[in-house]
Amino acid sequence: MVGFISSTANELLTGGSNLKFLKIAASAAELSSFKSNPSFLGKFAELNKPKTQNTFRYDTEYYTQTLDHFSFSDLPTFQQRYLISTDHWQGPEKMSPIFFYCGNEGDIEWFAANTGFVWEIAPQFGAMVVFPEHRYYGKSMPYGSREKAYGNAASLSYLTAEQALADFAVLLTDLKQNLSAEACPVVLFGGSYGGMLAAWMRLKYPHIAIGALASSAPILQFENIVPPETFYDIVSNDFRRESVSCFDYIKKSWEAIEAEGRKANGLLHLTKIFHLCENLNSTQDLSDWLSSAYSYLAMVDYPYPSDFLMPLPANPIKEVCRKIDNHPRETSVLERIFSGVSIYYNFTGAVDCFDLGDDPHGMSGWDWQACTEMVMPMSSSQYTSMFPAYDFNYSSYQEECFKDYDVKPRPRWINTQFGGHDLKTALKTSGSNIIFSNGLLDPWSGGSVLQNVSETIVAVVTKQGAHHIDLRAATNDDPDWLLEQRTLEIKLIKEWIDSYYQEKTASVSM
Amino acid sequence: MVGFISSTANELLTGGSNLKFLKIAASAAELSSFKSNPSFLGKFAELNKPKTQNTFRYDTEYYTQTLDHFSFSDLPTFQQRYLISTDHWQGPEKMSPIFFYCGNEGDIEWFAANTGFVWEIAPQFGAMVVFPEHRYYGKSMPYGSREKAYGNAASLSYLTAEQALADFAVLLTDLKQNLSAEACPVVLFGGSYGGMLAAWMRLKYPHIAIGALASSAPILQFENIVPPETFYDIVSNDFRRESVSCFDYIKKSWEAIEAEGRKANGLLHLTKIFHLCENLNSTQDLSDWLSSAYSYLAMVDYPYPSDFLMPLPANPIKEVCRKIDNHPRETSVLERIFSGVSIYYNFTGAVDCFDLGDDPHGMSGWDWQACTEMVMPMSSSQYTSMFPAYDFNYSSYQEECFKDYDVKPRPRWINTQFGGHDLKTALKTSGSNIIFSNGLLDPWSGGSVLQNVSETIVAVVTKQGAHHIDLRAATNDDPDWLLEQRTLEIKLIKEWIDSYYQEKTASVSM
């Protein structure tokens, strides 16, 4: 499964070259602010294909989709890709379920390959599996091509969560009708942004899906709900938890980098220490490169070796900190840091030098979404975070979005549309059948729902879990708590389906 | 309060002259189909001002509203009008409620004047009252003027229910913030289409409003849910219930009109019998004029004299049938019919001759809505209806919409968006605090929710009620059942608010 990362305006400044209509990409030198919000989904999700052989069998289909569900403007339709498997489906007669993964900001094949859980439990449920692609990602491009879809603010304007949910609703309704499967219960799955979509879809379209497993879904990571320091505090705590000295070295490193950069030949020296392929232009570039490694590490801090974004050992933060800590006393902070991040950037040892430009900060669909409705304010506290201190500044965020995308964010809209502060209160009496699963190592967990809301809207929280680990395929190294988590999730999903059947039987026999 | 009426394509054909971009208004002569679906809201709601002195005090405000909430197209904002009264509001300290009427397809002042119930109960709740106007109606016109807003399909394309709900959500969120009233519970009210909006808003925005009184809200009057004959069957039964012979005379009249029309000078003769101001061009025009009178009569068949659309006596259908029945035996069907409909068209006796063009069939915003997402199939059964037999034909409906509006309807979308067949099942576990109130005389009741869905989603059904009579101001002639109905509604609303306060207190003391 795939994590997800919000982009802040700061980050947007570092990318942008992909997009033709970007006016001016501010040079990194102009920036003094903290800009390490990770954004791996951009390039990873859109460019990467499954690295390993995809063992899940499915057909690839396309659905002619409405571009704007909420107006009747005369717009072209587009082809939405979806992956479908009916191999284990027991058909409409048995009202066998439909497992529907809410595709997020990337190529759907990548999500399908990284969401083993859904494929693995489908046979025991006799379930159909559908993985629809999110509009404007992968091969589901309005206007016929990525180039045209991403051409300008007008062509991008239909890239919203509400439109994506409506795509899912329309596709599901049509699929069910074509397969005479109107009575078959739909269970939604999603991780990260996809988990947000799954939860929101269950709330907004309760007549279409009977429940949702929303894994690592930070639906509260918006304006004035959770403190903006949350994300970086969690990353920092993940490091401190492994080693206080490691945390301290990292926290000290920023000033060390700055100090070095101010020296004559300092940038050249940094270039050498960090084995960069090209000469460093600014210390900010280096800090960003390091910061994003830490954030990604926190997200994929899995208890077994994985190759999600980068090949990594089990418990990678522990390994990073071991590297940082285990040096002769006289080793400089910068050398320690380099040895640590090498775990992330060069675990295989195959990299001779590092290209900061390779950092997946490219302008992506998510950047647009972050500049329109997905405004997730993030700050870094000078007291509790190991990152450079940074206060989220909405004015400059807005300014940069306008400069880069010709668009003005609507930071309050998501809360108005999906519920912000009052969501949990509302959910107590409205809504049911949602699992919010979170691992507390995951920096996104702070923006999610961590306590049971009602009898049927429940939080499944694991202390040792990272970003939607529950949705990943089973491995031989899965710890007990993960096996238990999945067993619980299967049990809850089964209860939803059983209670749906009871309801159906009751209404038929009436 | 104001009723509401769907337009079918057939009806659209008779209007249309208001709209500049209409290509060809098909002449009535081309039509053989049944086209009496009433549409009084068009002209009534948009052109009529309250006839009686409006005794409810409010301020008129405007809110700068987003034209398209679901895309980030670069569109102009528009001014949404809303009426607001804080006279009885006890303020944020007491978390006093906000009563919010979901404005429907017409001038909001007219709705405010005709929704006495909300104003009358506000003081006992210490409630603020807000009546926001629905976009594209009254003074809430995008693009600066009705002429421009209704200029073409592109400018009309944002006239949808989803956008209207989003308007309400955004306006409410802003109002609450400005008044520091974030914690004040919002109760939604609405009649007819406004009732549909109230119910849908409670379902889609449960974090914004704690409950909804949806009066005469036919949320199931869509494709493949209720039988298409429902509406005209109810109208017909309203007449049969008063007098079987009256029903029979009406049922026979259509052929009598046709037969007369086929004679030499038949149209002239009909012109005389029906006291028309201008010579009749086709029997269809006359049939439509009569049909719409019967439908309106069914909707406003109130137990006391009223002046809603037309000045009418108490129990107007009884009066119409008395007129039709009470004649010497030799009186022709047509003369009987004329005396009957005169109750509707000329109760005051002030009209010398009738202008069929005065029938409020003008092209209106609702016609656009009916040609886009509000596709309500309606047929007239040759067996059970007193109206001319007619089978709803979607192809010709679609064709006419395209011809008239350059737009293709999406007949399945409303069910996908708001729930059709599965809505009631979904509501059992999702959603709460909705009253669906209906009077069984009202032809729209057949498309509404007439049975309790859950403990908190309840149906309040009155045998003797017509179109959202419960929302009208109290009169001295209100029958006991109406007093009881209103008492029950007040009790339920009070329960919602009390339970909201309990929830709030519990979460604060936690």
Side-chain angles (χ1 to χ4, degrees), chain B residues 341-457:
Chain B
V341 295
S342 293
I343 292 287
Y344 179 74
Y345 284 119
N346 193 17
F347 182 61
T348 63
V351 182
D352 286 333
C353 66
F354 298 96
D355 187 351
L356 300 195
D358 266 359
D359 187 41
H361 273 286
M363 191 68 88
S364 68
W366 185 257
D367 295 330
W368 165 266
Q369 292 190 258
C371 264
T372 48
E373 53 181 10
M374 295 292 170
V375 180
M376 297 179 163
M378 290 204 186
S379 300
S380 172
S381 156
Q382 59 172 311
Y383 306 108
T384 50
S385 156
M386 68 183 194
F387 292 88
Y390 171 70
D391 276 333
F392 179 77
N393 179 321
Y394 179 66
S395 299
S396 61
Y397 187 98
Q398 184 183 33
E399 216 169 89
E400 295 304 333
C401 284
F402 192 75
K403 200 160 73 181
D404 291 350
Y405 277 108
D406 262 345
V407 79
K408 210 180 142 192
R410 294 184 202 144
R412 299 176 63 188
W413 167 244
I414 280 285
N415 289 346
T416 302
Q417 174 66 204
F418 295 113
H421 273 109
D422 303 323
L423 181 62
K424 284 197 269 185
T425 314
L427 289 184
K428 279 181 197 176
T429 52
S430 252
S432 64
N433 296 357
I434 304 177
I435 302 168
F436 288 102
S437 73
N438 282 283
L440 295 184
L441 298 185
D442 179 11
W444 292 108
S445 65
S448 190
V449 176
L450 298 175
Q451 291 176 321
N452 291 352
V453 169
S454 68
E455 262 187 48
T456 61
I457 301 187

Side-chain angles (χ1 to χ4, degrees), chain A residues 40-267:
Chain A
F40 67 74
L41 264 204
K43 279 193 185 164
F44 276 101
E46 293 188 49
L47 306 179
N48 279 16
K49 285 283 174 186
K51 298 170 194 169
T52 51
Q53 183 68 34
N54 191 340
T55 52
F56 311 122
R57 279 181 39 191
Y58 49 75
D59 294 322
T60 301
E61 305 281 354
Y62 286 84
Y63 179 75
T64 301
Q65 193 58 270
T66 301
L67 183 54
D68 189 357
H69 296 279
F70 302 99
S71 88
F72 285 81
S73 305
D74 187 21
L75 291 164
T77 57
F78 71 98
Q79 296 300 304
Q80 180 177 25
R81 179 168 59 157
Y82 64 98
L83 318 179
I84 184 167
S85 163
T86 53
D87 286 356
H88 300 284
W89 192 46
Q90 295 181 10
E93 303 75 22
K94 296 200 172 176
M95 289 199 280
S96 294
I98 298 170
F99 285 177
F100 191 89
Y101 179 89
C102 297
N104 31 324
E105 74 284 25
D107 187 302
I108 194 61
E109 292 198 321
W110 195 46
F111 294 111
N114 281 282
T115 312
F117 181 66
V118 173
W119 299 101
E120 288 167 0
I121 68 172
Q124 73 192 78
F125 283 92
M128 184 193 312
V129 175
V130 186
F131 273 74
E133 192 160 62
H134 191 297
R135 53 167 58 200
Y136 288 86
Y137 294 99
K139 295 206 185 303
S140 300
M141 288 296 164
Y143 303 106
S145 71
R146 187 180 198 282
E147 203 176 12
K148 283 182 184 158
Y150 281 68
N152 55 40
S155 62
L156 272 169
S157 68
Y158 307 101
L159 170 48
T160 71
E162 295 86 344
Q163 300 280 3
L165 294 177
D167 289 341
F168 296 158
V170 167
L171 171 63
L172 259 170
T173 304
D174 193 72
L175 266 181
K176 286 173 97 169
Q177 195 178 49
N178 291 344
L179 296 165
S180 305
E182 285 94 342
C184 296
V186 175
V187 177
L188 305 168
F189 295 84
S192 202
Y193 170 48
M196 297 164 71
L197 293 174
W200 287 338
M201 177 121 186
R202 170 64 187 147
L203 295 175
K204 293 285 187 188
Y205 297 88
H207 50 286
I208 289 184
I210 65 159
L213 169 53
S215 182
S216 299
I219 58 168
L220 304 176
Q221 190 79 45
F222 295 105
E223 192 187 61
N224 296 330
I225 310 180
V226 296
E229 297 81 12
T230 304
F231 183 96
Y232 290 109
D233 278 356
I234 296 177
V235 178
S236 303
N237 286 335
D238 287 351
F239 282 80
R240 183 158 37 198
R241 159 183 174 275
E242 295 295 349
S243 153
V244 173
S245 62
C246 174
F247 172 96
D248 286 339
Y249 281 124
I250 294 171
K251 195 169 171 71
K252 272 190 290 193
S253 68
W254 315 112
E255 178 44 35
I257 290 169
E258 290 305 306
E260 190 61 38
R262 279 191 296 267
K263 290 183 194 161
N265 292 323
L267 290 174

Side-chain angles (χ1 to χ4, degrees), chain B residues 45-348:
Chain B
E46 295 188 49
L47 306 179
N48 279 16
K49 285 284 176 183
K51 298 171 193 169
T52 51
Q53 183 69 35
N54 190 340
T55 52
F56 311 121
R57 276 180 43 189
Y58 49 75
D59 293 322
T60 301
E61 306 282 353
Y62 286 84
Y63 180 75
T64 301
Q65 193 60 268
T66 301
L67 182 52
D68 188 357
H69 297 279
F70 302 99
S71 89
F72 284 81
S73 304
D74 187 21
L75 292 164
T77 57
F78 72 96
Q79 296 300 304
Q80 179 177 26
R81 178 166 60 159
Y82 65 98
L83 318 179
I84 183 167
S85 164
T86 53
D87 286 357
H88 299 285
W89 191 47
Q90 295 181 8
E93 302 76 24
K94 296 200 172 178
M95 290 198 280
S96 294
I98 299 171
F99 285 177
F100 191 89
Y101 179 90
C102 296
N104 33 322
E105 74 286 24
D107 187 303
I108 195 61
E109 292 197 322
W110 195 45
F111 294 111
N114 281 282
T115 312
F117 180 66
V118 173
W119 299 100
E120 288 167 359
I121 68 171
Q124 75 193 74
F125 282 92
M128 185 195 309
V129 175
V130 186
F131 274 74
E133 193 159 62
H134 191 297
R135 56 168 56 200
Y136 288 86
Y137 294 98
K139 294 203 186 305
S140 300
M141 288 296 164
Y143 302 105
S145 71
R146 188 179 198 285
E147 203 177 11
K148 284 182 183 158
Y150 281 67
N152 55 40
S155 62
L156 271 169
S157 67
Y158 308 100
L159 170 47
T160 71
E162 294 86 345
Q163 301 279 3
L165 294 178
D167 289 342
F168 296 158
V170 167
L171 172 63
L172 260 170
T173 304
D174 193 73
L175 267 182
K176 285 172 99 170
Q177 195 178 49
N178 290 344
L179 296 164
S180 305
E182 284 94 341
C184 296
V186 174
V187 178
L188 305 168
F189 296 83
S192 201
Y193 170 50
M196 297 163 72
L197 293 174
W200 288 337
M201 177 122 186
R202 170 63 188 149
L203 295 176
K204 293 283 188 189
Y205 297 87
H207 50 287
I208 289 183
I210 65 160
L213 169 54
S215 183
S216 301
I219 58 168
L220 305 176
Q221 189 80 46
F222 295 104
E223 192 187 57
N224 297 330
I225 310 181
V226 296
E229 297 82 10
T230 304
F231 183 97
Y232 290 109
D233 277 356
I234 296 176
V235 177
S236 302
N237 286 337
D238 287 351
F239 282 80
R240 183 159 35 199
R241 160 182 171 274
E242 296 294 349
S243 152
V244 173
S245 62
C246 174
F247 173 97
D248 287 339
Y249 281 124
I250 294 171
K251 196 167 171 67
K252 273 190 287 194
S253 69
W254 315 111
E255 180 44 38
I257 290 169
E258 289 305 307
E260 190 62 40
R262 280 192 294 268
K263 291 182 193 164
N265 291 324
L267 291 174
L268 207 60
H269 190 213
L270 288 169
T271 303
K272 278 186 188 156
I273 296 178
F274 286 92
H275 293 225
L276 307 182
C277 303
E278 292 182 15
N279 285 348
L280 192 62
N281 285 320
S282 85
T283 53
Q284 185 75 55
D285 290 353
L286 178 60
S287 295
D288 289 345
W289 186 69
L290 296 173
S291 293
S292 79
Y294 303 137
S295 294
Y296 291 136
L297 279 161
M299 288 172 55
V300 298
D301 195 19
Y302 298 132
Y304 48 71
S306 66
D307 185 4
F308 186 22
L309 309 174
M310 301 284 205
L312 286 174
N315 303 306
I317 291 182
K318 188 190 288 290
E319 295 306 314
V320 169
C321 281
R322 203 193 310 254
K323 284 282 184 185
I324 288 177
D325 286 341
N326 288 352
H327 282 280
R329 210 167 157 190
E330 65 276 15
T331 311
S332 76
V333 171
L334 297 182
E335 283 172 298
R336 287 170 187 271
I337 295 296
F338 173 70
S339 69
V341 295
S342 293
I343 292 287
Y344 179 74
Y345 284 119
N346 193 17
F347 182 61
T348 63

